[in-house]
């Protein structure tokens, strides 16, 4: 028996990267997994097959998480296909970095829509299901820049700060129905995106981290597992920074 046996998890933006790691970790602990991505290409199909090979049910859905109607449609499909939604991970996200004075309205709007509005969309659609079940765990994937800010990322930082405040507000609204909501704020995580950074930038970043290394996607997945499972049954409205001590 895994920590999530008999549960159904819905993870947005999970064809690759941190979202995929979370979906795999949940499946390893017995959860059936539904996940979304903007398009289900070869990456998405491979992820679906990899999760299914663990002996759980897995279905990938093509969906624009920033579209309210599409999010509602996906949630209805997942409820019909799986019977319940016990865990929601709002992981879909993009970056369009730039200094405020040079940032276009499109860069601002796109990041807020994909990173923040998508979470509203999916929480809005899942709330009636979780309230009827009198239980559920909602996890928003924020960032340390949502806590401390970052020059050149005002749109991204604002969206991630919004995810933290959203989780805290939902925790207050739905706590009496047994629904928990928390946020994870990753720091410098070793992904394809960070691997593409110049070596001097990577070294300087790592030198600022007390543990003197970047985090792994598994570090985030393990934290998500804790928040999704009954191990955290008395934890709600919190933001957990998984950053090697970079921001204390």
């Amino acid at each position: 028996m895994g920590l999530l046996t008999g549960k159904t998890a819905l993870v947005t933006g999970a064809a690759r990267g941190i979202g995929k790691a979370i979906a795999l970790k949940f499946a390893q602990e017995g959860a059936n997994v539904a996940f979304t991505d903007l398009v289900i290409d070869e990456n998405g199909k491979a992820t679906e097959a990899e999760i299914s090979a663990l002996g759980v049910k897995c279905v990938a859905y093509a969906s624009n998480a920033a579209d309210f109607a599409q999010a509602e449609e996906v949630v209805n499909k997942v409820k019909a296909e799986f019977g319940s939604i016990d865990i929601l991970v709002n992981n879909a996200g993009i970056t369009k970095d730039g200094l405020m004075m040079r940032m276009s309205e499109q860069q601002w709007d796109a990041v807020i829509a994909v990173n923040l509005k998508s979470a509203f969309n999916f929480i809005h659609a899942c709330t009636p299901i979780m309230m009827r079940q009198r239980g559920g765990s909602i996890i928003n994937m924020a960032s340390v820049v949502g806590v401390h800010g970052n020059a050149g990322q005002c749109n991204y930082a604002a969206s991630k700060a919004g995810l933290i405040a959203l989780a805290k507000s939902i925790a207050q609204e739905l706590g009496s129905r047994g629904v928990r909501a928390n946020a994870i704020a990753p720091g410098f995580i070793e992904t394809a995106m960070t691997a593409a950074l110049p070596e001097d930038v990577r070294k300087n970043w790592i030198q600022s981290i007390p543990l003197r290394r970047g985090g792994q996607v598994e570090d985030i997945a393990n934290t998500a597992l804790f928040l999704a499972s009954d191990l955290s049954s008395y934890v709600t409205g919190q933001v957990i920074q998984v950053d090697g001590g970079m921001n204390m």
Side-chain angles (χ1 to χ4, degrees):
M1 290 283 286
L3 287 171
L4 302 179
T5 298
K7 305 276 191 183
T8 295
L10 171 56
V11 186
T12 66
R16 58 187 67 76
I18 289 173
K20 176 181 177 180
I22 291 171
L24 281 167
K25 179 65 69 174
F26 286 0
Q28 289 163 2
E29 289 294 331
N32 294 315
V33 176
F35 73 89
T36 74
D37 221 289
L38 191 57
V39 292
I40 302 301
D41 54 13
E42 289 182 5
N43 274 324
K45 290 174 184 174
T47 297
E48 184 181 45
E50 193 175 345
I51 295 172
S52 297
L54 295 171
V56 300
K57 184 174 184 175
C58 179
V59 179
Y61 298 87
S63 171
N64 177 3
D67 186 292
F68 184 84
Q70 286 188 39
E72 191 170 64
E73 183 182 2
V74 166
V75 167
N76 288 337
K77 285 180 179 177
V78 173
K79 177 66 168 66
E81 181 72 29
F82 291 82
S84 69
I85 299 175
D86 306 289
I87 303 151
L88 169 65
V89 181
N90 290 305
N91 172 73
I94 60 170
T95 57
K96 289 186 181 290
D97 297 346
L99 294 173
M100 166 64 84
M101 63 185 294
R102 297 195 188 100
M103 183 172 290
S104 68
E105 182 183 18
Q106 186 277 331
Q107 284 175 297
W108 174 271
D109 288 349
V111 169
I112 296 299
V114 175
N115 296 8
L116 182 55
K117 183 171 184 285
S118 65
F120 164 76
N121 293 343
F122 275 89
I123 293 172
H124 189 275
C126 286
T127 292
I129 297 168
M130 291 183 171
M131 287 177 68
R132 281 195 295 269
Q133 294 170 174
R134 299 197 71 82
S137 176
I138 297 167
I139 303 167
N140 286 350
M141 294 304 302
S143 168
V144 290
V145 307
V147 180
H148 301 277
N150 195 35
Q153 286 194 308
C154 62
N155 52 359
Y156 185 76
S159 72
K160 296 301 186 177
L163 286 172
I164 291 169
L166 177 61
K168 289 176 177 287
S169 299
I170 297 303
Q172 293 182 38
E173 288 187 20
L174 301 183
S176 64
R177 299 299 186 98
V179 179
R180 299 181 295 110
N182 294 283
I184 298 174
F188 185 89
I189 305 300
E190 300 281 3
T191 63
M193 186 172 70
T194 54
L197 292 170
E199 189 58 31
D200 61 326
V201 173
R202 286 174 50 82
K203 281 184 178 177
N204 287 338
W205 207 336
I206 287 171
Q207 281 302 308
S208 72
I209 300 170
L211 291 183
R212 293 295 190 270
R213 65 175 179 85
Q216 303 300 311
V217 292
E218 288 76 17
D219 294 318
I220 307 303
N222 287 334
T223 306
L225 173 62
F226 167 71
L227 291 175
S229 75
D230 289 341
L231 290 175
S232 61
S233 62
Y234 202 54
V235 178
T236 194
Q238 304 303 307
V239 52
I240 301 178
Q241 296 187 70
V242 186
D243 63 3
M246 183 170 67
N247 291 302
M248 297 188 191

